[in-house]
Amino acid sequence: MDNFQPAADASHFLVPAKLNLDLRIIGRRADGYHLLETIFTLIALYDHIWLRKKTNGSITMHTPVTGVEPQQDLCVRAAQLLRSHTGTEQGADIWLNKKIPIGGGLGGGSADAAVVLMALNRLWQLNLTTDQLLHLGVQLGADVPFFIFGQNAFARGIGEDLVPICLPKQWYVIIKPPVHISTAKIFAHKDLTRNSKPRIMPDFQAGQHWRNDMQSVVLAEYPAVREAFEALAEYGSPMMSGSGACVFLSFDSESAAQAVYNKVSDAHQAYCVASLTRHPFYQ
């Protein structure tokens, strides 16, 4: 999708991915949603979005994602939700260059939706507050509020209750296995634990044991994820992000991360990226 050409007067926005450095399932609501506690970090792996406002009210996705119907595309849904909520008669042209792997647990679709909400709020001069955007974002997906929040966070609930957390600079080697994980399947799995002890607020300490309560279930169900996990396990203690499929290993230095990336990237779809402290939209 690198050969398309957005309109010259379209505004460009960087869309960062995320990792779940820790993810615990502490219960389930009456409506079936799982109650989580997680530590989110932004990472320098980006989708690219271009937006151009229109006056005729139409929302046009010029770069549809393969296999996704336009009306199901999160960018389109975000624009339509914002337009419906505010009653504006404005519209938008949207171009998306997808670099964050789909179905990897890196939040790419949610990140795209968040940027569309934030950017069109600015381009359409709607002046919604961040809290109002957060309320809209959770209607699109549990990870969307984090990207609107725009900084590393400890999240509770279904992911919408966010508190800033200070994280040290890290570099990550990420492997994306060639498999798509069904989040619904994992959440419904008989072996998934849902009784982790809630925490008030974690401290990020070197050597602290982080975990992902979905990881053992995914590793058992998806051999490709286990293979990627074992490839990184030769160099440290990897973890899975979200409900997978991506697994990652953290490093204190770029050189150490690059050395491991060089070893695993021949056999796997891999990335070597730095952590971020703030969303580029707010910088």
Side-chain angles (χ1 to χ4, degrees):
M1 200 182 291
D2 294 325
N3 58 353
F4 72 91
Q5 188 62 47
D9 58 346
S11 300
H12 172 247
F13 300 93
L14 281 175
V15 184
K18 61 84 176 170
L19 291 172
N20 298 87
L21 302 184
D22 191 69
L23 196 162
R24 308 185 187 207
I25 304 173
I26 63 171
R28 185 188 287 184
R29 300 194 318 195
D31 61 7
Y33 277 96
H34 285 74
L35 295 170
L36 309 175
E37 289 188 343
T38 188
I39 296 174
F40 285 119
T41 185
L42 295 161
I43 57 173
L45 175 60
Y46 302 105
D47 283 349
H48 297 259
I49 286 178
W50 290 262
L51 295 168
R52 180 175 64 177
K53 66 178 179 180
K54 297 195 292 187
T55 58
N56 65 2
S58 65
I59 307 295
T60 305
M61 168 58 79
H62 292 276
T63 53
V65 177
T66 302
V68 179
E69 292 295 324
Q71 293 307 306
Q72 295 301 314
D73 185 284
L74 276 169
C75 290
V76 174
R77 289 176 57 201
Q80 291 174 336
L81 178 63
L82 185 63
R83 188 181 60 184
S84 173
H85 177 77
T86 61
T88 182
E89 296 182 356
Q90 300 180 85
D93 290 308
I94 306 171
W95 294 265
L96 170 64
N97 191 357
K98 198 84 185 123
K99 298 293 187 181
I100 303 170
I102 297 172
L106 303 184
S110 295
D112 297 336
V115 162
V116 169
L117 286 175
M118 295 186 293
L120 288 182
N121 182 51
R122 178 186 293 176
L123 293 173
W124 288 345
Q125 298 181 315
L126 300 173
N127 300 317
L128 296 186
T129 65
T130 299
D131 282 346
Q132 288 173 308
L133 291 174
L134 288 169
H135 177 73
L136 289 178
V138 76
Q139 299 177 47
L140 296 166
D143 289 343
V144 178
F146 163 67
F147 291 105
I148 296 172
F149 191 68
Q151 57 187 306
N152 299 328
F154 174 56
R156 301 183 182 91
I158 61 171
E160 84 289 1
D161 182 4
L162 297 153
V163 179
I165 187 170
C166 184
L167 302 175
K169 181 74 173 183
Q170 294 282 284
W171 285 260
Y172 299 99
V173 175
I174 303 167
I175 293 179
K176 167 60 171 74
V179 62
H180 181 84
I181 306 298
S182 169
T183 303
K185 176 181 176 181
I186 300 306
F187 272 127
H189 200 281
K190 61 181 178 61
D191 294 332
L192 183 68
T193 58
R194 303 174 177 86
N195 58 357
S196 287
K197 184 178 179 181
R199 294 164 296 171
I200 297 174
M201 178 69 177
D203 291 322
F204 193 96
Q205 300 172 359
Q208 185 167 342
H209 177 67
W210 304 111
R211 72 170 192 257
N212 181 335
D213 284 348
M214 288 185 268
Q215 180 171 289
S216 61
V217 173
V218 174
L219 293 181
E221 291 286 338
Y222 295 89
V225 180
R226 176 170 288 280
E227 180 182 344
F229 185 89
E230 290 173 350
L232 286 179
E234 295 184 26
Y235 308 101
S237 300
M239 266 189 52
M240 186 180 76
S241 184
S243 58
C246 285
V247 293
F248 66 91
L249 196 57
S250 62
F251 299 86
D252 293 330
S253 72
E254 183 178 11
S255 59
Q258 190 65 46
V260 171
Y261 170 80
N262 291 341
K263 292 176 181 177
V264 301
S265 57
D266 285 344
H268 301 275
Q269 180 182 339
Y271 306 86
C272 183
V273 299
S275 62
L276 301 172
T277 55
R278 286 191 64 79
H279 196 294
F281 186 84
Y282 296 117
Q283 294 176 344

